[in-house]
Amino acid sequence: MSAVTEGDISPWATAIHRLVQWVGNGRTLTTTGQLRVADGLELVKLLGTGDDLHGGAGQRRLSSSRNLPGVQSLLTGAVDAGLLRTQRGRLIPVKKYAQQAATAEGVRRLLVANAHHFAQAALAPEAEHPDLGRVRLAALWTELSRNRQTSLVVSELTSMLWNTTTPGTSAIEQTQGSGERADERIEFDEVVSWVLLDYAYLGLLAMKPDRTLVQLTPTGSREYDERPALTAEASPS
């Protein structure tokens, strides 16, 4: 497996790693389950979240750490990844993932694994086709890998995934069977956009700010090459 250098580790993963290290053996929360204001302000500087230290426009002073969206986003990411949890009024590390939490690269790999899990579930919301998410995820990565040197139009990539089916099922049958309509296509477009954005946060993809173009990064190329599960053949539409 090829080594990943510091420059390959996404700022998002690095920030979550620093957050977990900051938590250490645990941090006391307020009675409402929030980080204390002083701790929130410390994290703004430590993690470089860019949050307003006063809590937003019109505020003279920060009254709650919940008014620090950047910090809250990283905290949510760490909890969702299973790296942190709350217990008896404290924010504590999860021992199960202590080894991954020890390094920024370990955190990145855990977040990537979670992103793949989320993507597979999100790309197949229909209970009638449980394998569709796996097939669509494989199709997504195969298409990205096939065009490593060029940017792909997100709308075209989304259409390709929409028409990707499970083996032995036609696109028409699949659409009729799941009752998909025009509004569901719009919802699917949004799902794909969020899936791609999650990968972009982790440095696997590069996306234009308006989310119209996407391209595999060198780190994303290595991820594809090192994970056979992502190279499974998808049934073409």
Side-chain angles (χ1 to χ4, degrees):
M1 184 175 293
S2 58
V4 176
T5 65
E6 183 69 23
D8 294 320
I9 301 172
S10 75
W12 174 255
T14 300
I16 288 183
H17 171 250
R18 289 176 178 169
L19 170 60
V20 175
Q21 296 304 303
W22 174 85
V23 169
N25 293 324
R27 296 278 177 163
T28 300
L29 300 173
T30 66
T31 55
T32 58
Q34 302 295 320
L35 288 172
R36 294 180 298 186
V37 169
D39 287 340
L41 292 174
E42 181 181 346
L43 286 174
V44 170
K45 299 175 181 178
L46 176 66
L47 306 179
T49 63
D51 287 320
D52 188 328
L53 298 179
H54 296 290
Q59 301 294 321
R60 291 188 176 182
R61 59 184 293 274
L62 183 68
S63 59
S64 171
S65 63
R66 74 177 64 186
N67 295 326
L68 300 172
V71 171
Q72 290 297 317
S73 180
L74 289 168
L75 182 59
T76 298
V79 172
D80 288 347
L83 291 163
L84 298 175
R85 65 187 178 92
T86 59
Q87 182 182 60
R88 298 176 182 176
R90 287 174 61 80
L91 180 67
I92 62 174
V94 177
K95 294 181 179 179
K96 177 181 178 181
Y97 294 118
Q99 184 175 356
Q100 290 93 328
T103 66
E105 171 58 11
V107 169
R108 188 192 71 83
R109 287 193 172 276
L110 179 61
L111 293 174
V112 168
N114 286 343
H116 291 323
H117 179 76
F118 163 76
Q120 182 168 316
L123 292 173
E126 307 89 353
E128 295 87 349
H129 305 285
D131 292 332
L132 184 56
R134 175 185 57 78
V135 174
R136 279 177 170 166
L137 182 60
L140 169 63
W141 278 84
T142 297
E143 189 67 13
L144 289 167
S145 178
R146 185 182 295 130
N147 298 275
R148 298 186 191 208
Q149 305 305 316
T150 59
S151 295
L152 296 176
V153 178
V154 171
S155 60
E156 295 178 358
L157 189 59
T158 301
S159 293
M160 182 274 291
L161 293 175
W162 176 260
N163 292 315
T164 295
T165 68
T166 51
T169 306
S170 70
I172 293 178
E173 290 174 341
Q174 191 160 272
T175 298
Q176 292 176 337
S178 57
E180 293 169 332
R181 301 179 299 276
D183 58 336
E184 290 176 325
R185 171 57 198 270
I186 293 175
E187 182 178 348
F188 183 76
D189 289 353
E190 295 177 350
V191 165
V192 173
S193 181
W194 280 110
V195 166
L196 296 176
L197 190 61
D198 277 352
Y199 284 134
Y201 270 130
L202 294 168
L204 304 184
L205 302 178
M207 282 187 81
K208 287 194 63 176
D210 61 5
R211 305 187 193 181
T212 57
L213 295 175
V214 65
Q215 184 175 353
L216 206 62
T217 64
T219 301
S221 292
R222 279 193 295 274
E223 175 68 17
Y224 176 86
D225 294 337
E226 294 171 2
R227 289 179 65 91
L230 293 176
T231 64
E233 290 187 6
S235 174
S237 58

